[in-house]
Amino acid sequence: MPSLFDPIQLGDISAANRILMSPLTRGRSTDDHVPTDIMVDYYRQRAGAGLIISEGTGISRQGLGWPNAPGLWTDAQVEAWKPVTEAVHQAGGKIVAQIWHMGRLSRPDVIGMAPLSSSATRAPYHKPENPYGEAQAATLDDIARAQDDYATAATNAVRAGFDGVQLHGANGYLIDQFLRDGTNFRDDDYGGSPENRIRFMREAVARVVDAIGAGRTSIRLSPNGETQGADDSDPASVFIPAAAALDALGIGFLELREIAPDGTFGSTDVPKLSPEIRKVFKGPLILNQDYSQEQAQADLDSGLADGIAFGRKFIANPDLVERFRRGAPLNQDDMATWYSKGPEGYIDYPALEDEAA
């Protein structure tokens, strides 16, 4: 069985190892969602990952309701990403852009308009004052425009030097809002049956495949449990056929974020679907959430996964792959600086060489 340190082919991308960096929102872009110079250092430091999946990157003004998250819909954004991707490549790494439409989770105070979703709903919030607005149910024209935006963002990502893209289909964002019967109440071709609820995802991925090629295309899904108010009464009925549809499109890889009853960033008793998804998706399968190095290797040994994506461990350990390789201790991240501006808690975590100096 392969080791975490063995290379892997992810569609058209040759990754040096099977330790991926999962997407991590960090909020260091400008108010206009343009990447900043500090992001060059941040991603360069983490180029030892087999593949970096960038932070969620907006595909449109309406789709990006997170302050100071980056975008890929303007020329200024594309140009500002180029030094980032060049730095990663010069350091020997590979990087894909996670392209993101937040749907009903786009805050009106950020986007300056009403958000869009599969249906007219309002997302819940964990504090009394809810910043989310009532979403407009997407018309067929809205759906076509959103799919155009995914394709354009993918094209822009390649222009910016990314090795490919990952559509964000997880965590209660727009694609997830179409997939789940707890957020999709449509009675047209995009709602009702699992086949219809899968349609938006399948068409969006197909548009990206047409734009940049299947081998440069991937997607992240979160099949089990509730996330940010999005839930499904029978996840297996929709996510297993969704994985089969993705297999038919021939995408480079599929990543699953699966939470557990004892999860440290979300928890659920809903069973994980990766064993069943593994049967229908024949391409590389990447798993994510709360993995230790030992658990990650065990899932490679069993054949359940082809690679493992780590998120929070990469925040405080830019050289995570080397630390795993040497059995070195890990730095602990500071949650207070996850989304703060500036270098603190972003590019100032020491690598092993810095600690030894």
Side-chain angles (χ1 to χ4, degrees), residues 54 68 77 81 88 90 159 166 180 183 185 208 234 240-241 283-284 303 305 317 340 347:
S54 84
N68 301 106
Q77 292 163 352
W81 272 117
V88 171
Q90 287 179 345
R159 284 177 53 210
Q166 180 190 72
R180 296 175 184 262
T183 47
F185 307 113
V208 171
D234 184 9
I240 295 173
N317 300 277
S340 61
I347 59 170

Side-chain angles (χ1 to χ4, degrees), residues 144-156:
R145 185 173 63 253
Q147 292 173 347
D148 286 344
D149 290 339
Y150 279 112
T152 299
T155 300
N156 285 344

Side-chain angles (χ1 to χ4, degrees), residues 208-281:
V208 171
V209 167
D210 288 344
I212 65 169
R216 294 186 176 197
T217 303
S218 62
I219 189 170
R220 166 181 263 217
L221 300 176
S222 51
N224 68 315
E226 179 271 340
T227 176
Q228 301 197 92
D231 205 353
D232 195 87
S233 62
D234 184 9
S237 72
V238 65
F239 283 100
I240 295 173
L246 294 166
D247 185 70
L249 288 168
I251 63 172
F253 68 93
L254 169 61
E255 183 197 8
L256 304 179
R257 175 183 181 252
E258 294 191 299
I259 50 180
D262 58 350
T264 62
F265 202 68
S267 61
T268 186
D269 292 324
V270 177
K272 295 181 179 182
L273 288 176
S274 47
E276 296 305 312
I277 286 175
R278 184 63 151 163
K279 296 175 184 177
V280 300
F281 184 80

Side-chain angles (χ1 to χ4, degrees), residues 93-346:
K94 301 290 176 66
I95 183 170
V96 298
Q98 189 191 61
I99 52 177
W100 192 24
H101 193 305
M102 297 177 68
R104 68 177 188 168
L105 296 172
S106 282
R107 288 167 33 185
D109 64 309
V110 176
I111 65 176
M113 64 187 86
L116 190 72
S117 187
S118 54
S119 300
T121 61
R122 187 184 189 192
Y125 196 62
H126 61 278
K127 295 180 181 179
E129 290 193 16
N130 189 340
Y132 302 130
E134 181 80 10
Q136 297 177 340
T139 66
L140 295 182
D141 285 344
D142 291 330
I143 287 172
R145 185 173 63 253
Q147 292 173 347
D148 286 344
D149 290 339
Y150 279 112
T152 299
T155 300
N156 285 344
V158 173
R159 284 177 53 210
F162 285 98
D163 297 293
V165 302
Q166 180 190 72
L167 288 85
H168 198 338
N171 299 0
Y173 296 114
L174 184 62
I175 290 173
D176 213 18
Q177 292 161 29
F178 272 89
L179 287 170
R180 296 175 184 262
D181 63 12
T183 47
N184 185 339
F185 307 113
R186 303 176 71 95
D187 58 6
D188 63 1
D189 288 346
Y190 291 90
S193 68
E195 179 183 4
N196 281 359
R197 284 183 278 126
I198 291 165
R199 188 183 309 274
F200 178 78
M201 177 207 75
R202 188 182 71 242
E203 291 179 351
V205 174
R207 288 295 308 279
V208 171
V209 167
D210 288 344
I212 65 169
R216 294 186 176 197
T217 303
S218 62
I219 189 170
R220 166 181 263 217
L221 300 176
S222 51
N224 68 315
E226 179 271 340
T227 176
Q228 301 197 92
D231 205 353
D232 195 87
S233 62
D234 184 9
S237 72
V238 65
F239 283 100
I240 295 173
L246 294 166
D247 185 70
L249 288 168
I251 63 172
F253 68 93
L254 169 61
E255 183 197 8
L256 304 179
R257 175 183 181 252
E258 294 191 299
I259 50 180
D262 58 350
T264 62
F265 202 68
S267 61
T268 186
D269 292 324
V270 177
K272 295 181 179 182
L273 288 176
S274 47
E276 296 305 312
I277 286 175
R278 184 63 151 163
K279 296 175 184 177
V280 300
F281 184 80
K282 306 304 183 184
L285 184 64
I286 308 300
L287 300 183
N288 165 256
Q289 194 64 34
D290 283 322
Y291 272 95
S292 67
Q293 180 180 354
E294 294 73 23
Q295 291 165 333
Q297 185 60 56
D299 277 358
L300 263 61
D301 291 343
S302 72
L304 180 63
D306 297 297
I308 303 296
F310 294 86
R312 285 166 288 162
K313 287 182 174 63
F314 265 110
I315 290 178
N317 300 277
D319 56 347
L320 182 65
V321 174
E322 190 60 27
R323 287 177 184 268
F324 278 172
R325 196 188 306 273
R326 298 188 194 181
L330 301 184
N331 300 320
Q332 294 302 306
D333 60 281
D334 176 13
M335 187 175 181
T337 60
W338 282 5
Y339 310 122
S340 61
K341 296 180 181 179
E344 184 182 1
Y346 190 60

